[in-house]
Amino acid sequence: MLVYDKFYDVIVVGAGHAGCEAALAAARMGASAALFTINADNVAHMSCNPAIGGLAKGNIVKDIDALGGEMGRNIDETGIQFRVLNMKKGPAVRSSRAQADKDLYKQRMQRVIMEQSGLDLKQGMVEGLSIENGEIRGIVADTGMLYRAKKVVLCTGTFLRGLIHIGDCNYPAGRMNEFASIGMSASLTKAGFKLERLKTGTPARLDVNTIDFSKLDAQHGDDFAKPFSFETEQIHLPQLPCYVTYTNEKTHQIIRDNLHRSPLYGGVIKGIGPRYCPSIEDKVKKFPEKTRHQIFLEPEGLNSREYYANGFSSSLPIDVQISMYRSVEGLENVEFVRPAYAIEYDFVQPTGLFPTLETKPVKGLYFAGQLNGTSGYEEAAAQGLVAGINAALALDGREPLIVGREQSYIGVMIDDLVNKGVDEPYRMFTSRAEYRLQLREDNAEYRLSDIGHSLGLISESRYGRFCAERQAKEDEIERLKSVRITPSAEMLSVLAEYGGVLKNPVSAFELMKRPEFDYSTIEKLCGSQVNERVREQVEINAKYEGYIQRQGTEIEKFRKTESVKIPAGIDYSSIIGLRREYVDKLSAIRPATLGQAARIQGMTPAAVALLHVHISKLKNSGEQNAE
């Protein structure tokens, strides 16, 4: 076997959203790294929708940015429509979303990758892993070359034995017109990993010249485009609208008449699809009472002539696709540039991972992205960032990064994956986070920037700016608490403009808790010298102070269970009274803490209590022996 003359600290396989974050994190932390991809022109290619963010997903991107990842900066430089969703609701469920210029997005990320010192970008198919005595040694390319590395991060996306379906036509591909990876699946199976199948899909791309926009409702972005990255000052690219249309009864009848030709309902597709992003066949079949389904037509770029039909994915034959698309208002004469298709691919249950995303069977091997059963660019990027960070930390035996579910949406996702596994493509929702009032988009820096800076992923200048803002927030809160607003004639006149009354003196901070007042009102009463980000933090802290404090108490209780460590070599079968099913679950997942054990799918409070008692006995026994 040929052996490449350079020995890498970290090799990342796959240059999608997970792979880019993993490779950049490792290199920026000082590791010598290589990023392998089947096609170097498709670094960070958006395989599906041309957008970043969305409900809960926007929170993930903010978390990535606060830790020092690249996704937020990349979309800010290449975004062509920005919106903050749920602005009429509370800050805990607001999320940012941006349409991207797909070509600019991948071009910028490729440039960042190639300009990063300590990181080599390499085009080639990785066919397998080199493993010795249960520890990773490198990867083997299709050229027969062995590339040696201390750590390997696999970010294979939909490429592992990827199989595309369009009606009764199917063929191997990682995505349309790109090779599937067959050898890596075989290598993982040989290494002891059990591969399972999932399915996802994508809609047709439409020729802009054949869409009748006069029949469609335009959906514009926000008047002020709010960036994702806390480093970005403003958005520079021109902004474009999206358009909204709907399926109708004719569309649904076409689909019903042809369900027998669908590989999804004909039993050809074996993989499980995403419940929350279903194909149009699924929508019509499972929700027969609905007379229409919404479709968003999204531009793929400033210079692109293609539109993405969000909400209209399908695996039906091409002739059926054409008929059903042309049944929709505004699309009566539409022409396809690319058809819709479904794709099946291999994944590995993430219960076989540690919270660091290192695999349990093979030391030094990390998994990230769709290989772990997740869905979405944002979920993949977050996993890649954590895997890349931990691979770099492990090189020097440093403490790993384990982000708690009380710290970020990244922590919620990883905790869910490693403890519960997946039975469908995992997608993040705000409802998955029990502490979502603390995990808001706006305070991501407050939660994670200290960590990002300690890892060397946040620059000194950025960290200095953040620390100054954090101090300014505390000072402003103290100032407003000390300012007394009295019911004088002049003050009552100002308050009356906002529909407010005042009978007794209160602090400016207490006054801002009232729903009719916001920071701008208080500013008129007692001035202000802080910037917009600090103003936002002060106002949220005022209006939600009681809820935030209550959730803080809950987090402290949560951390107590997380602080109870489970001995690494514990024999669960020796715990008196613990049923076999719980012994098997605990032995398979090997939780690190009592809290993690409690969140394993199917674990009962009684079983956790038995485990806690056993740990306490072991601890007491150890202390007595030490004496």
Side-chain angles (χ1 to χ4, degrees), residues 431-501:
S431 59
R432 294 189 189 274
E434 59 269 54
Y435 308 120
R436 56 184 173 274
L437 184 55
Q438 300 276 28
L439 308 184
R440 308 182 310 271
E441 276 196 352
D442 60 86
N443 71 348
E445 280 196 305
Y446 289 80
R447 293 181 279 107
L448 299 170
S449 283
D450 288 336
I451 298 172
H453 178 254
S454 70
L455 294 169
L457 297 176
I458 297 291
S459 68
E460 291 297 333
S461 60
R462 174 177 173 176
Y463 189 63
R465 186 269 306 158
F466 162 67
C467 289
E469 285 187 4
R470 180 165 55 184
Q471 187 60 53
K473 175 197 129 180
E474 298 302 323
D475 292 344
E476 181 66 354
I477 289 174
E478 288 304 309
R479 183 183 78 86
L480 294 178
K481 286 182 176 180
S482 67
V483 173
R484 304 297 292 175
I485 306 297
T486 58
S488 64
E490 179 184 0
M491 197 62 70
L492 290 174
S493 175
V494 175
L495 294 175
E497 293 180 29
Y498 301 94
V501 295

Side-chain angles (χ1 to χ4, degrees), residues 225-429:
K226 189 173 183 180
F228 272 90
S229 175
F230 294 95
E231 285 189 285
T232 304
E233 295 295 329
Q234 67 180 87
I235 303 303
H236 297 287
L237 287 183
Q239 302 294 285
L240 298 181
C242 296
Y243 294 87
V244 180
T245 187
Y246 298 87
T247 62
N248 52 57
E249 185 51 40
K250 181 180 178 182
T251 315
H252 298 180
Q253 192 58 51
I254 292 169
I255 293 167
R256 285 192 290 265
D257 290 345
N258 289 278
L259 277 178
H260 64 284
R261 300 180 64 192
S262 166
L264 183 62
Y265 286 95
V268 178
I269 293 177
K270 305 297 184 185
I272 300 169
R275 185 193 321 178
Y276 301 104
C277 188
S279 66
I280 192 64
E281 301 97 283
D282 264 338
K283 292 178 184 178
V284 170
K285 177 74 172 176
K286 294 178 179 178
F287 306 102
E289 73 282 1
K290 286 190 172 290
T291 58
R292 66 177 192 171
H293 294 282
Q294 195 172 54
I295 301 167
F296 290 95
L297 300 182
E298 303 172 348
E300 297 234 319
L302 293 172
N303 298 311
S304 174
R305 307 302 294 169
E306 296 178 59
Y307 267 71
Y308 177 92
N310 196 339
F312 215 3
S313 65
S314 177
S315 61
L316 284 163
I318 187 69
D319 60 307
V320 181
Q321 289 186 34
I322 292 170
S323 294
M324 70 186 193
Y325 269 75
R326 288 180 179 171
S327 70
V328 172
E329 188 170 23
L331 306 182
E332 292 88 350
N333 299 301
V334 78
E335 293 288 346
F336 288 1
V337 178
R338 309 163 206 253
Y341 65 87
I343 183 168
E344 286 184 281
Y345 56 93
D346 288 342
F347 83 104
V348 179
Q349 279 292 346
T351 50
L353 301 174
F354 294 110
T356 60
L357 298 185
E358 184 180 21
T359 68
K360 293 171 182 175
V362 180
K363 187 176 181 182
L365 177 63
Y366 299 76
F367 290 171
Q370 285 172 287
L371 179 56
N372 292 336
T374 60
S375 171
Y377 307 148
E378 304 81 5
E379 289 89 340
Q383 293 171 71
L385 178 62
V386 170
I389 287 171
N390 279 314
L393 289 172
L395 293 169
D396 303 319
R398 287 181 283 173
E399 280 293 310
L401 172 66
I402 299 177
V403 185
R405 64 186 300 119
E406 83 286 7
Q407 285 181 292
S408 77
Y409 274 85
I410 297 175
V412 173
M413 172 180 61
I414 293 176
D415 190 71
D416 283 348
L417 292 173
V418 302
N419 290 318
K420 299 176 182 178
V422 300
D423 55 11
E424 63 180 323
Y426 179 98
R427 178 179 177 176
M428 179 53 68
F429 294 99

Side-chain angles (χ1 to χ4, degrees), residues 156-165 170-174 180-182 184-186 188-189 193-200 264 268-274 342-350 370-374 422-426:
T156 51
T158 59
F159 281 76
L160 292 188
R161 290 198 304 135
L163 186 64
I164 281 180
H165 296 271
N170 59 70
Y171 56 91
S181 173
I182 308 301
M184 181 59 77
S185 286
L188 287 170
T189 300
F193 294 96
K194 180 185 177 183
L195 303 183
E196 300 179 38
R197 299 287 274 178
L198 287 176
K199 166 256 175 187
T200 189
L264 183 62
V268 178
I269 293 177
K270 305 297 184 185
I272 300 169
I343 183 168
E344 286 184 281
Y345 56 93
D346 288 342
F347 83 104
V348 179
Q349 279 292 346
Q370 285 172 287
L371 179 56
N372 292 336
T374 60
V422 300
D423 55 11
E424 63 180 323
Y426 179 98

Side-chain angles (χ1 to χ4, degrees), residues 87 135 167 186 322 409 504 550 599 608:
M87 275 303 292
E135 188 167 354
I322 292 170
Y409 274 85
N504 300 304
R550 188 183 310 160
R599 294 189 298 278
V608 174

Side-chain angles (χ1 to χ4, degrees), residues 526-541:
C526 60
S528 171
Q529 294 182 336
V530 296
N531 66 29
E532 186 61 34
R533 280 198 288 232
V534 174
R535 289 160 61 101
E536 181 182 42
Q537 288 300 303
V538 171
E539 184 171 336
I540 290 173
N541 273 262

